[in-house]
Amino acid sequence: MSSETAELLRQRMAVLEPSSVVIEDESHRHAGHAGAKEGGHYKITIVAAAFAGQNTVKRHQAVYAAAGDLMRGRIHALGIRAFSPDEV
């Protein structure tokens, strides 16, 4: 796993004040994919009170906003599972 990218992503999620963040690097599953050269493929599971009352689109938008410029270089693809604490 690109521990540097995963750690940067984890740090960026702090703005959402998560109670839990799990990041998985799935880049090895996309070897040969054109985007694999330009950025990694990651999956994030995040639990935050900030997601309460929000639909999936709003939750994903919040995660992408928090990731910021990582999405334009270090991360090519990001699978998101976002929950409020009462959903887990």
Side-chain angles (χ1 to χ4, degrees), residues 59-83:
R59 293 173 186 201
H60 286 208
Q61 288 173 336
V63 170
Y64 284 128
D69 65 337
L70 295 177
M71 295 304 305
R72 293 185 296 278
R74 290 179 177 259
I75 299 174
H76 173 73
L78 182 62
I80 302 170
R81 296 182 67 213
F83 304 99

Side-chain angles (χ1 to χ4, degrees), residues 30-80:
H30 300 275
H33 180 272
K37 297 176 190 170
E38 299 171 10
H41 290 69
Y42 295 87
K43 185 188 309 183
I44 185 169
T45 302
I46 181 169
V47 179
F51 299 136
Q54 291 188 339
N55 65 30
T56 301
V57 171
K58 292 288 185 189
R59 293 173 186 201
H60 286 208
Q61 288 173 336
V63 170
Y64 284 128
D69 65 337
L70 295 177
M71 295 304 305
R72 293 185 296 278
R74 290 179 177 259
I75 299 174
H76 173 73
L78 182 62
I80 302 170

